[in-house]
Amino acid sequence: MKPFLLLASCALVASAWADDNPVPPVAPQDARPATAELSVQPLRMPNGDSAGLLAGSWLVAVDDQWGFGPTVLATAKGNYGGVFVFGVTGQRRWRLGDNTHLAANLTVGAGGGLSSPSLRFGGGLMLRPELQVRHEFGDWYLGAGVAHIRFPSGNVRDTRVTLTVGRMDDFRAFAPRDVGRAGRTYARGGVGFDEIALNGGFYAPRGDTRDRSGRPLTARLGRAGADARQYTAPDTWWGLEAAGAAKGGIDGYMEVLVNAGTDWALFHPRLRLGVQAGLGLGGGGGVDTGSGRLLRAGPTLRWITPWGPSLRLDANRTHATNGHFSVNETRLSLVLPLEGRRGVDARGQDLEEGTVRVQTLAGGVQHHGRVRFKDGSREGITQATLSLTRELGPTWYGTAQGNAAAGGKAGAYAVGLFGMGAQSAARTHGTWRWRTGVEGLVGAAGGGGVVVGGGAVGQLEAWLQLEGTGDLERLRVRLGAGQWGTLRGSGQRSPFVGLSVGYAYGVLGS
């Protein structure tokens, strides 16, 4: 009995000492410049048609000269709605004066769209070098220069003048080694979004909706997607969303939009009724969206659960500004918070507290061995991949992934996936750590002549990951293998292997 009392006394003393000497929360260890850019470029197609490209990039500085980040390009002019390219941009800057700099970009991407015998995107690989001079106005800058776009295995290529508007900001992050510790920050961390939503629903076509051959689209169409929001106030937000067809014979249709909205308490602070509006680009799947420009607006109902996640029910009307696409949309979303608890400190400054979780932004390649095409052939294809992974705890994580064909004959094939995974604890070997895991994803796919049924697809993957230590602690190299296939109808199945390189950083979570 005495040993037990002695141990209990020691535990009480240790507990009291810990309460009097709490471990202070960690602060972000990494603060570096970042920039968001939006540029426009005219494009002359091989068949003589005129089109216009809109490109959006988010770049994080490695040092004073170099920056890297994801880029999305899409057509916004001409009758080529649905041409999308996803890629990674590297940028080198040279200072020319106090408010002027020279920027050289190289974007490597994958994608494509509407093709014909005279218009070919080949396997989907795209290269886009660009040179611009920019002038800065505080946090903003304007640029003009020249860019060349080329699909090496197709015949789409052109060199034209480009115009860019950009805004400079900061990228703040915690060190990955602080995972699991309490953290505190006075500014948003990571990519800056407060929550991500996974959604599914239906489009109900209106009377003027047509495919590109002029046939009416009347059947209800399934869709699946995801969106991310940043709240500028508890009741006001802006965000980005992407979705694709998952049922109804328009596989290959996808859309990317910027939206904003506000809401008000309805009977209870956690139940909120609001409105939202968005604009963006969409097309593919044979749908006639004209140039691809879309407008969207409608009401939204949001329930913030006491446990953190939220549920949203949205009803929107989406309309192509110069095509034959007009639909009523209904969707249900599961919303997961990405940031910690928000509040104010004793001085009245905005404050965010929570537990440090690791988030990883990665790019890579994925090769599928035998994919079935609509012409009856079976061939291998190579995809470029972009993914964002967020740890929810020591074992579980959530992930979103976008892929586009970059090799083979499936140019214009694209897929968006989201899901969950489980991982082992990291083990150390020399200057590296390693861990294993497995994940399951579902989403929508289409284009490039690949058989995908209505568009709903899924994949299972097992992986091995190497993680750097010391100066390389943010580096992630992952090798994976698994099986991809359709979820409805066609019975398409294909094994795949993948390799990706990622950048890991810490953000606050629950």
Side-chain angles (χ1 to χ4, degrees):
M1 190 68 175
K2 289 183 179 180
F4 172 78
L5 292 175
L6 179 61
L7 289 173
S9 300
C10 291
L12 289 173
V13 171
S15 175
W17 184 88
D19 290 340
D20 292 337
N21 299 273
V23 177
V26 295
Q29 300 296 311
D30 195 9
R32 60 184 67 221
T35 183
E37 295 183 359
L38 189 67
S39 66
V40 294
Q41 176 185 349
L43 183 63
R44 178 71 67 180
M45 294 297 192
N47 58 8
D49 290 350
S50 295
L53 284 177
L54 188 66
S57 301
W58 182 70
L59 308 175
V60 177
V62 176
D63 54 30
D64 292 339
Q65 290 82 36
W66 289 94
F68 294 88
T71 293
V72 178
L73 298 94
T75 48
K77 182 182 178 182
N79 194 31
Y80 289 91
V83 176
F84 283 94
V85 178
F86 303 90
V88 176
T89 295
Q91 184 178 97
R92 174 70 160 89
R93 294 188 179 192
W94 293 268
R95 178 60 58 182
L96 301 180
D98 291 341
N99 297 306
T100 308
H101 67 268
L102 177 69
N105 297 342
L106 176 61
T107 301
V108 180
L114 184 68
S115 298
S116 68
S118 61
L119 176 64
R120 304 185 306 277
F121 293 93
L125 177 65
M126 184 216 70
L127 303 175
R128 183 176 181 261
E130 180 181 22
L131 188 66
Q132 279 198 337
V133 176
R134 282 92 171 270
H135 188 75
E136 300 156 12
F137 306 89
D139 291 337
W140 293 85
Y141 57 87
L142 296 174
V146 63
H148 175 75
I149 187 167
R150 171 184 291 266
F151 288 78
S153 58
N155 64 353
V156 178
R157 56 180 63 93
D158 196 14
T159 302
R160 290 297 181 99
V161 171
T162 62
L163 300 175
T164 295
V165 59
R167 187 180 187 278
M168 294 176 285
D169 203 346
D170 289 327
F171 174 80
R172 299 177 181 273
F174 293 83
R177 62 179 176 274
D178 290 328
V179 61
R181 295 184 61 182
R184 175 182 296 171
T185 180
Y186 289 90
R188 278 187 173 88
V191 296
F193 289 112
D194 298 319
E195 63 184 30
I196 187 170
L198 310 177
N199 54 66
F202 297 95
Y203 296 128
R206 294 167 55 81
D208 57 346
T209 300
R210 303 278 192 275
D211 64 17
R212 284 194 172 268
S213 65
R215 292 190 299 267
L217 292 176
T218 58
R220 191 171 64 167
L221 309 170
R223 51 91 70 203
D227 67 85
R229 284 184 178 182
Q230 181 187 105
Y231 284 83
T232 57
D235 57 359
T236 307
W237 69 86
W238 75 274
L240 301 174
E241 64 175 276
K247 181 183 178 183
I250 60 168
D251 60 275
Y253 173 82
M254 69 172 300
E255 57 191 27
V256 177
L257 297 99
V258 179
N259 57 35
T262 188
D263 58 19
W264 306 268
L266 181 66
F267 308 123
H268 190 278
R270 292 185 179 274
L271 184 63
R272 310 188 66 83
L273 178 67
V275 294
Q276 61 182 350
L279 56 89
L281 302 170
V287 177
D288 182 9
T289 57
S291 65
R293 295 192 297 269
L294 301 177
L295 297 177
R296 171 176 294 166
T300 180
L301 183 66
R302 177 165 62 120
W303 177 47
I304 307 170
T305 73
W307 314 285
S310 301
L311 291 176
R312 290 204 315 255
L313 180 63
D314 301 329
N316 297 301
R317 177 168 294 178
T318 301
H319 178 74
T321 60
N322 63 352
H324 295 89
F325 181 71
S326 182
V327 296
N328 294 325
E329 175 198 11
T330 304
R331 68 183 181 193
L332 181 65
S333 303
L334 172 63
V335 186
L336 303 175
L338 291 177
E339 300 293 330
R341 301 177 300 277
R342 292 193 175 278
V344 294
D345 65 7
R347 296 170 294 178
Q349 292 182 294
D350 290 337
L351 174 68
E352 183 181 337
E353 296 180 300
T355 303
V356 177
R357 304 295 186 195
V358 172
Q359 194 161 281
T360 303
L361 181 64
V365 294
Q366 193 179 85
H367 181 74
H368 291 245
R370 287 178 58 82
V371 174
R372 183 155 50 93
F373 288 80
K374 293 177 180 179
D375 62 7
S377 63
R378 287 183 178 270
E379 296 187 23
I381 64 172
T382 300
Q383 303 176 50
T385 67
L386 284 173
S387 65
L388 182 66
T389 298
R390 168 65 176 265
E391 290 186 358
L392 305 175
T395 301
W396 298 98
Y397 66 89
T399 184
Q401 184 179 112
N403 305 342
K409 69 172 189 178
Y413 171 78
V415 55
L417 300 160
F418 49 82
M420 297 280 292
Q423 63 184 9
S424 69
R427 296 171 174 81
T428 302
H429 181 75
T431 58
W432 290 86
R433 302 195 309 164
W434 63 274
R435 72 174 80 219
T436 58
V438 61
E439 66 186 33
L441 307 177
V442 296
V450 177
V451 174
V452 291
V457 297
Q459 72 178 40
L460 291 173
E461 181 180 9
W463 51 262
L464 168 68
Q465 179 170 279
L466 296 179
E467 305 175 359
T469 58
D471 293 340
L472 296 177
E473 70 166 326
R474 300 182 185 278
L475 178 63
R476 301 289 186 268
V477 180
R478 177 177 292 191
L479 177 65
Q483 180 165 283
W484 163 91
T486 55
L487 300 180
R488 301 174 61 92
S490 69
Q492 168 89 278
R493 297 287 184 272
S494 174
F496 68 87
V497 294
L499 176 67
S500 66
V501 178
Y503 179 82
Y505 52 92
V507 295
L508 293 184
S510 58

